[in-house]
Amino acid sequence: MEAVEDIVILGAGIAGLTTSLGLHRLGIRSLVLESSENLRVTGFAFTTWSNAWRALDTIGVGDSLRQQHQKLHSIVVTSTASGKASSERQLKSTERKYGERELRCVKRKLLLEALEKELPIGTVRYSSKVVSIEESGYFKLVHLADGTILKTKVLIGCDGVNSVVAKWLGFKAPAFAGRSAIRGYSDFKCSHGFEPKFLQFFGKGVRSGFIPCDDQTIYWFFTWTPSRQDDQELEENPAMMKQFVLRKLHALPNQIKAVVENTALDSIISSPLRYRNPWELLWGNISKGNVCVAGDALHPMTPDLGQGGCAALEDGIVLARCIAEALKTKERAGEEDERIEMGLRRYAKERRWRSFELVSTAYVVGSIQQSEGKMMNFLRDRILPGFLAWLLTKKADFDCGKLCIS
């Protein structure tokens, strides 16, 4: 069976839903194909910086999410190698190029639900696994596992690190960063007693962070350089993951360890950290004809800046704007297919350097934080805590623009 759709988006994650909602706000219909049976909430939560809140406000879901998540007042970075006092950076609204500084830890499930709720019924089609992409003149044919073939004018890959669309565009599979992450979500069912602060600890080859989402829940992460034995022992075994993290964090305050101890086994996951080679982002095909990629399909990055989800929101706004300009500006020279191609090229140009900057900076920061050695420990203890807190807020000082057509 063959059906025709003007715009097909692969993946109902942050980038896919944001792009679809952005297009909807501009009066353009799209179809989102999601391979799973329902919304994917793997990862539990993510840090949402000022740049992400500007994007969320642009598509009209910022205020509802603010009501459900606690605003953080500061970033506290502590070296566990030296035991020296923490560096704390206040998140004041001053010193900002684009307005107020804002940081919250947003539950992924609530974000995706907020985005989907604003879309027309039927926009997201679940259990729609893409098996191949084929060209048919200017159109693209998207083949699904159930035998359905969708013919589309615009194909957007928001299908994650293992993106079918990124592979079609010529991108290599994301590289292993040499580190892995264990993530958890702890629900205390009552007040957890933590102040609204982003707590980070690093040293002795590991890095961890603890971030309140609201008065009752805390999201946490732990990254390390795994051995082959670690991979074999921890894979698909949440109980061992939990004990492994507790052993590594034995020197941290009891209040911090209690967060891990309180985490239910079905709220712990482990995954290798992967990233796009930054040079691929500079020279690769972010778009080609009427096809492009966004979100993790474009810029998979290590979590060391907390900008992966934020950048996906930026992508969605920019992409929706560029497509709408191409489709609605009839007086522009050229046929519709030429205007679409120009619009996607404009999107690629706007996102190329931003993606390169975030991926490369995150990789370098993560490598430094988890490196060992006397000289590295000295530099890290003296310089990195304050610098890291500054860098995290600096990379969030960005505005992807509004949903308006020039």
Side-chain angles (χ1 to χ4, degrees):
M1 181 180 71
E2 183 175 293
V4 179
E5 296 285 346
D6 284 345
I7 301 174
V8 171
I9 300 170
L10 305 190
I14 296 173
L17 292 178
T18 303
T19 303
S20 183
L21 182 53
L23 289 168
H24 173 62
R25 298 293 194 220
L26 293 168
I28 298 172
R29 181 184 181 278
S30 62
L31 175 66
V32 181
L33 301 179
E34 171 55 46
S35 60
S36 64
E37 297 179 357
N38 43 47
L39 285 175
R40 292 175 290 116
V41 294
T42 303
F44 308 119
F46 71 101
T47 49
T48 310
W49 297 86
S50 309
N51 52 318
W53 286 107
R54 294 185 193 99
L56 291 169
D57 287 337
T58 294
I59 52 174
V61 299
D63 286 342
S64 64
L65 289 168
R66 283 186 180 92
Q67 294 173 13
Q68 302 173 80
H69 299 92
Q70 195 174 52
K71 185 176 181 179
L72 304 182
H73 296 162
S74 63
I75 304 171
V76 183
V77 183
T78 302
S79 168
T80 56
S82 66
K84 290 186 178 296
S86 306
S87 171
E88 182 168 359
R89 185 175 182 85
Q90 298 296 321
L91 297 173
K92 298 178 182 178
S93 60
T94 56
E95 307 173 21
R96 302 294 293 172
K97 182 178 180 180
Y98 294 108
E100 185 180 358
R101 177 179 289 149
E102 184 173 8
L103 172 62
R104 302 171 197 263
C105 187
V106 170
K107 299 175 185 177
R108 185 175 294 269
K109 182 176 185 289
L110 294 182
L111 170 62
L112 296 181
E113 288 175 346
L115 294 171
E116 186 191 34
K117 185 174 66 174
E118 295 295 314
L119 290 168
I121 295 174
T123 298
V124 182
R125 186 181 299 176
Y126 293 101
S127 300
S128 299
K129 181 177 176 57
V130 175
V131 293
S132 65
I133 301 166
E134 182 184 356
E135 294 192 71
S136 177
Y138 180 72
F139 291 90
K140 298 298 177 286
L141 301 180
V142 181
H143 294 259
L144 304 184
D146 64 4
T148 302
I149 301 174
L150 295 174
K151 188 176 184 179
T152 182
K153 293 179 183 177
V154 183
L155 178 61
I156 303 170
C158 301
D159 44 342
V161 294
N162 298 314
S163 171
V164 174
V165 181
K167 184 178 180 180
W168 187 89
L169 287 171
F171 281 111
K172 297 178 182 177
F176 175 48
R179 298 182 291 137
S180 292
I182 295 175
R183 298 176 174 91
Y185 178 74
S186 184
D187 186 349
F188 283 79
K189 308 299 182 184
C190 58
S191 177
H192 48 59
F194 278 76
E195 294 183 74
K197 297 180 178 182
F198 180 1
L199 305 178
Q200 287 200 54
F201 303 88
F202 65 86
K204 300 181 181 179
V206 302
R207 172 177 173 261
S208 60
F210 300 81
I211 322 168
C213 295
D214 51 36
D215 290 337
Q216 297 185 14
T217 58
I218 292 180
Y219 168 69
W220 58 269
F221 62 83
F222 173 87
T223 63
W224 85 105
T225 302
S227 65
R228 184 170 298 179
Q229 183 179 1
D230 287 340
D231 289 337
Q232 293 172 348
E233 290 181 346
L234 297 178
E235 188 175 359
E236 305 299 330
N237 193 328
M240 293 193 70
M241 291 181 210
K242 188 179 199 176
Q243 293 307 312
F244 176 77
V245 173
L246 287 170
R247 286 198 305 272
K248 292 290 187 179
L249 301 183
H250 68 91
L252 296 190
N254 290 334
Q255 186 187 26
I256 297 295
K257 291 184 289 185
V259 174
V260 180
E261 292 169 345
N262 184 67
T263 305
L265 295 184
D266 61 358
S267 296
I268 302 177
I269 58 171
S270 176
S271 60
L273 298 182
R274 291 185 282 175
Y275 72 106
R276 177 82 66 211
N277 186 317
W279 299 112
E280 272 198 278
L281 292 167
L282 288 184
W283 310 118
N285 291 320
I286 295 176
S287 74
K288 183 178 180 182
N290 56 350
V291 180
C292 72
V293 283
D296 283 345
L298 168 60
H299 46 59
M301 66 184 78
T302 61
D304 305 287
L305 292 179
Q307 279 289 339
C310 302
L313 288 165
E314 293 177 7
D315 291 343
I317 299 298
V318 176
L319 183 50
R321 183 173 64 236
C322 289
I323 291 174
E325 287 178 347
L327 293 177
K328 289 197 165 187
T329 312
K330 301 295 186 183
E331 65 273 14
R332 184 174 297 156
E335 299 297 328
E336 184 179 68
D337 57 348
E338 295 175 341
R339 289 187 277 116
I340 289 172
E341 186 170 347
M342 289 173 60
L344 295 186
R345 283 206 304 265
R346 187 177 302 108
Y347 157 75
K349 181 179 180 181
E350 191 168 338
R351 298 305 295 164
R352 191 180 300 277
W353 182 254
R354 173 69 169 166
S355 299
F356 171 85
E357 180 184 35
L358 291 177
V359 170
S360 55
T361 304
Y363 179 83
V364 171
V365 168
S367 297
I368 292 174
Q369 283 182 296
Q370 289 188 220
S371 296
E372 298 188 75
K374 291 183 178 180
M375 180 56 70
M376 185 59 70
N377 285 339
F378 175 81
L379 294 173
R380 222 173 21 219
D381 295 343
R382 294 289 193 277
I383 299 172
L384 187 61
F387 175 74
L388 176 60
W390 171 84
L391 185 64
L392 291 172
T393 56
K394 179 67 175 176
K395 294 305 177 185
D397 191 16
F398 183 86
D399 190 351
C400 63
K402 303 300 182 183
L403 279 176
C404 56
I405 302 175
S406 57

